[in-house]
Amino acid sequence: MIERLILLACIFVLWSTVECAMTKEQLDSMIKALRKTCQSKTEVDTAILDGMRRGEFPEDPKFQCYLKCLLKTSRAIRDDKLDLNMMLKQADIMIAGEFQERTKSVMRKCTAETSSSDMCVAAYQFFKCFWETDSEMFIFM
């Protein structure tokens, strides 16, 4: 149920705010809902998720699948591949002007550097790369 609400919210945002970026409060609310949904699905430990805020990315299978869940729920995975085009569209809508290109640049770099065919591992590689490239722009906490 929560997945459908998140998906509907994302679709609403995509269609109704072509010119506007989301506010910090809106982003925080969306991330909180994604975290709750994906944590319950993967049963990843809260301490591991809290560690992500400090740049800690343990090679834990539940954590890796949690990261996949974040991407899948936000429609950034299509046909078992990272969907860079969707990520870029979402960045256009969600990220404020001055940070938009910076975020998109990191997305391009990290999508290109993701090599695993296992989508849990690929999501992990993507997020770890994102943090290591530009932790200031890392919003998925």
Side-chain angles (χ1 to χ4, degrees), residues 35 39 42-51 60 62-63:
R35 179 176 171 149
Q39 185 175 14
T42 60
E43 299 178 349
V44 66
D45 191 283
T46 300
I48 291 176
L49 298 184
D50 292 342
D60 177 84
K62 287 182 180 181
F63 177 57

Side-chain angles (χ1 to χ4, degrees), residues 34-35 38-39 42 44 48-49 52-53 56-77 82 87 119-131 138 140-141:
L34 284 170
R35 179 176 171 149
C38 292
Q39 185 175 14
T42 60
V44 66
I48 291 176
L49 298 184
M52 187 168 57
R53 293 183 172 137
E56 298 169 9
F57 287 81
E59 292 186 17
D60 177 84
K62 287 182 180 181
F63 177 57
Q64 292 173 339
C65 289
Y66 165 83
L67 296 172
K68 173 189 173 187
C69 178
L70 291 180
L71 291 174
K72 191 168 182 122
T73 304
S74 61
R75 298 178 39 215
I77 293 177
L82 294 178
M87 287 187 225
M119 284 312 299
C120 291
V121 175
Y124 171 83
Q125 291 171 338
F126 175 80
F127 280 106
K128 186 174 181 186
C129 172
F130 201 114
W131 176 270
F138 191 85
F140 298 97
M141 299 182 218

